[in-house]
Amino acid sequence: MNNRILIKHLLCAEAPASRVIAAGWVRTRRDSKNFSFLELNDGSCLASLQVIADAGIPGYEEISLFNTGASVLVQGDLVESPGGRQKWELRASSIQLLGGADHSYPLQKKGHSPEFLRSIAHLRVRTNLFGAVFRTRSRLAAAIHRFFLDREFAWVHTPLITASDCEGAGEMFRVTTLDPLSRGNKSFDDDFFGRAAYLTVSGQLEGETYACALGNIYTFGPTFRAENSNTTRHAAEFWMVEPEAAFCDLEGDMELAEAFVKHLVGAMLADSSGDFDFFCKWVDKGLRERLECVSRRPFVRCSYTGAIDILTKSGRRFDYPVRWGIDLQSEHERFLTEEHFGGPVTIYDYPKEIKPFYMRLNDDGKTVAAMDVLVPGIGEIVGGSQREERLDVLESNIRRMGMSEDSYRWYADLRRYGSVPHAGFGAGFERVLMFLTGVRNIRDVIPYPRTPGHCEY
Ligand code: 4AD
Ligand code: MG
């Protein structure tokens, strides 16, 4: 068993091989009089291995238990497949049932709805679509690490439990050991940390402290938001990649974000596993062309003020009326990327009122050096900014937003001791995955989606 060969390797073998071992889950079984065909999938690739088991080989007496979903071990010879549908097939010399599956196994047939499959998140990864999504997720996570490590960014593991609200939006999950149901006047003094603590919404603030020592860093891990948005692009738990670069301004930040997105698009286009082809064929027919177009063209850059101008002059009636100062809504982002620019666009210099306290105030006194990368079909996938490196401006922002100066003293220290211009961004890993796979719902690119009202298992 331990010397099994992955089906992905068997299927691209250069020559026949004898006495090889494969293991996996039965997708289908067809019986003839003297032999059976098994389609065996081990999750190493999209394709399944065809196994021919002749009646009479060891293990064949149990063939009626080799149902869809059962796990099996097969030993045999890899031979050229006469059928032509696949190059190789395995002629079994013995078969062994490891774990049976009866007819209650929910994935008996193909074509289940994503909603149904979400209700069996522990089994859905055994389908073609989810197998492809989660292999791709793993490969792209590796591509993210390569991108930053090749550029000398150090990976920093910022804490998941924090006492500060990075985005200032008050969308934090509380971390406590106090029993919410017990009465009595408890205060945070009695709590585990002796103060209020939360799950992080972003590793940025802690990331900045490391960038202001190591130079270039990135964080990559889970983040949590208790925002009550039941949309196809919001999850309460999602992964974020957050680079932070010292001695870098907004221009450098926009360049880094574009290079980052293009690197991942390039990794996707170069994918030879068959998973990308699967997305192009079954999920989104326009995917390849769209990604090729993204990799060829520079991203359009447009100021927030310019974007408002385009939206106002579009003659389009939006549900959410457009005026300078509003936060761009999904309908506005979609108009800009899908209709006006026909591709990704980086919007920069947003009104300071709609952005967090840490963004650098521009000379106009009205806007901050923020940038968002918007893409067709999804909207915002990256949000970032140059950070306010001037102590007095930062402190006045903290006061203006009614935040506790004391709680952010450590953060302000970076401006007190050797302050440097620095910038960074956050890219939602699931949104990037949606963009690269064509999958339309964030719940289908994260193994166990957590959304308002949903925390199965
Ligand atoms: O724009 P956001 O809120 O930016 C920050 O958190 C900054 N601290 C990042 C930084 O500069 N280091 O979030 C960044 C990205 C968004 O562009 C989006 O892709 C993703 O995180 N995101 C979500 N993804 C899934 N579900 C949610 N609820 C998300 N909220 C944000
Ligand atoms: Mg944002």
Side-chain angles (χ1 to χ4, degrees):
M1 181 157 74
N2 296 333
N3 48 358
R4 76 181 171 114
I5 302 184
L6 296 182
I7 288 177
K8 85 185 248 198
H9 293 147
L10 289 174
L11 291 177
C12 62
E14 306 224 309
S18 52
R19 297 179 66 79
V20 299
I21 293 175
W25 293 268
V26 175
R27 283 286 176 87
T28 57
R29 186 186 91 229
R30 282 182 293 127
D31 298 324
S32 294
K33 193 150 167 263
N34 298 320
F35 61 93
S36 297
F37 281 120
L38 298 173
E39 289 290 331
L40 199 63
N41 190 284
D42 69 358
S44 64
C45 64
L46 191 66
S48 297
L49 176 69
Q50 174 159 289
V51 176
I52 295 109
D54 287 328
I57 59 167
Y60 196 83
E61 61 283 359
E62 283 198 305
I63 194 73
S64 65
L65 301 176
F66 283 53
N67 297 323
T68 299
S71 58
V72 304
L73 191 74
V74 180
Q75 182 163 36
D77 296 338
L78 192 71
V79 298
E80 272 185 51
S81 174
R85 266 185 63 228
Q86 61 271 309
K87 187 154 182 250
W88 300 108
E89 61 186 29
L90 193 64
R91 285 232 149 232
S93 50
S94 69
I95 55 176
Q96 186 189 343
L97 184 73
L98 297 176
D102 66 15
H103 293 296
S104 64
Y105 180 61
L107 300 172
Q108 295 293 341
K109 55 176 178 59
K110 288 184 175 174
H112 287 296
S113 71
E115 290 76 18
F116 169 73
L117 291 170
R118 261 171 238 146
S119 74
I120 49 163
H122 59 301
L123 293 173
R124 67 176 179 168
V125 66
R126 294 196 196 176
T127 63
N128 282 342
L129 172 65
F130 289 96
V133 164
F134 293 110
R135 278 186 299 272
T136 300
R137 185 176 167 118
S138 165
R139 277 194 294 269
L140 286 171
I144 286 174
H145 286 299
R146 266 197 304 279
F147 176 83
F148 287 115
L149 295 173
D150 283 353
R151 284 166 180 74
E152 307 289 349
F153 281 64
W155 183 19
V156 174
H157 307 121
T158 49
L160 298 191
I161 299 178
T162 174
S164 17
D165 181 0
C166 172
E167 295 304 293
E171 289 164 341
M172 304 181 75
F173 288 102
R174 179 153 281 158
V175 176
T176 177
T177 51
L178 296 178
D179 179 356
L181 302 179
S182 83
R183 298 217 184 106
N185 270 339
K186 292 220 171 103
S187 77
F188 290 119
D189 295 341
D190 303 320
D191 207 348
F192 189 89
F193 297 108
R195 62 187 297 179
Y198 307 90
L199 290 178
T200 189
V201 293
S202 156
Q204 178 198 322
L205 302 188
E206 296 88 347
E208 279 184 58
T209 65
Y210 272 68
C212 291
L214 300 182
N216 292 335
I217 65 97
Y218 70 106
T219 72
F220 185 19
T223 47
F224 307 87
R225 295 198 182 177
E227 56 192 322
N228 205 355
S229 342
N230 234 323
T231 77
T232 53
R233 346 174 277 145
H234 288 90
E237 175 178 339
F238 61 99
W239 276 53
M240 209 187 329
V241 191
E242 296 183 272
E244 193 69 35
F247 314 103
C248 178
D249 61 10
L250 185 69
E251 175 70 27
D253 201 32
M254 292 196 282
E255 276 169 23
L256 184 67
E258 181 168 342
F260 169 78
V261 174
K262 285 189 168 163
H263 171 81
L264 297 182
V265 168
M268 201 63 186
L269 289 170
D271 173 58
S272 58
S273 71
D275 291 334
F276 180 57
D277 297 332
F278 177 86
F279 299 129
C280 296
K281 187 163 176 205
W282 298 104
V283 177
D284 180 348
K285 293 220 167 10
L287 182 62
R288 185 183 301 277
E289 199 190 320
R290 199 163 62 247
L291 294 190
E292 279 171 352
C293 182
V294 170
S295 75
R296 272 196 310 270
R297 283 194 346 197
F299 290 7
V300 180
R301 289 193 192 158
C302 174
S303 70
Y304 169 89
T305 305
I308 292 293
D309 208 40
I310 291 167
L311 292 167
T312 334
K313 292 189 177 139
S314 68
R316 183 65 65 94
R317 278 186 65 88
F318 294 105
D319 292 340
Y320 196 96
V322 178
R323 57 169 180 78
W324 199 95
I326 61 157
D327 212 352
L328 294 182
Q329 304 295 307
S330 169
E331 53 175 338
H332 308 135
E333 295 177 345
R334 295 194 64 158
F335 177 83
L336 291 168
T337 53
E338 289 164 31
E339 298 186 46
H340 189 80
F341 291 114
V345 47
T346 309
I347 311 277
Y348 60 92
D349 288 351
Y350 283 77
K352 66 175 186 207
E353 280 76 19
I354 58 170
K355 290 293 183 187
F357 76 101
Y358 55 72
M359 294 193 177
R360 191 180 196 279
L361 187 65
N362 286 324
D363 291 344
D364 61 12
K366 291 193 323 200
T367 61
V368 285
M371 63 101 184
D372 282 356
V373 177
L374 315 180
V375 298
I378 297 162
E380 178 191 337
I381 57 168
V382 169
S385 71
Q386 185 172 340
R387 319 306 188 189
E388 185 54 76
E389 85 284 11
R390 297 161 294 188
L391 182 62
D392 54 333
V393 186
L394 183 77
E395 285 180 333
S396 94
N397 286 351
I398 288 178
R399 280 194 297 273
R400 176 168 58 92
M401 300 201 181
M403 299 157 60
S404 147
E405 273 184 83
D406 235 21
S407 304
Y408 291 89
R409 183 162 299 279
W410 63 277
Y411 181 72
D413 267 358
L414 295 182
R415 284 75 182 165
R416 223 169 257 125
Y417 310 118
S419 188
V420 289
H422 61 287
F425 65 78
F429 187 35
E430 287 74 21
R431 293 210 188 156
V432 169
L433 280 168
M434 290 165 73
F435 179 56
L436 296 178
T437 58
V439 170
R440 306 294 294 208
N441 196 315
I442 196 164
R443 292 164 183 80
D444 298 334
V445 294
I446 188 160
Y448 290 93
R450 272 77 176 94
T451 52
H454 290 278
C455 183
E456 276 83 15
Y457 317 128

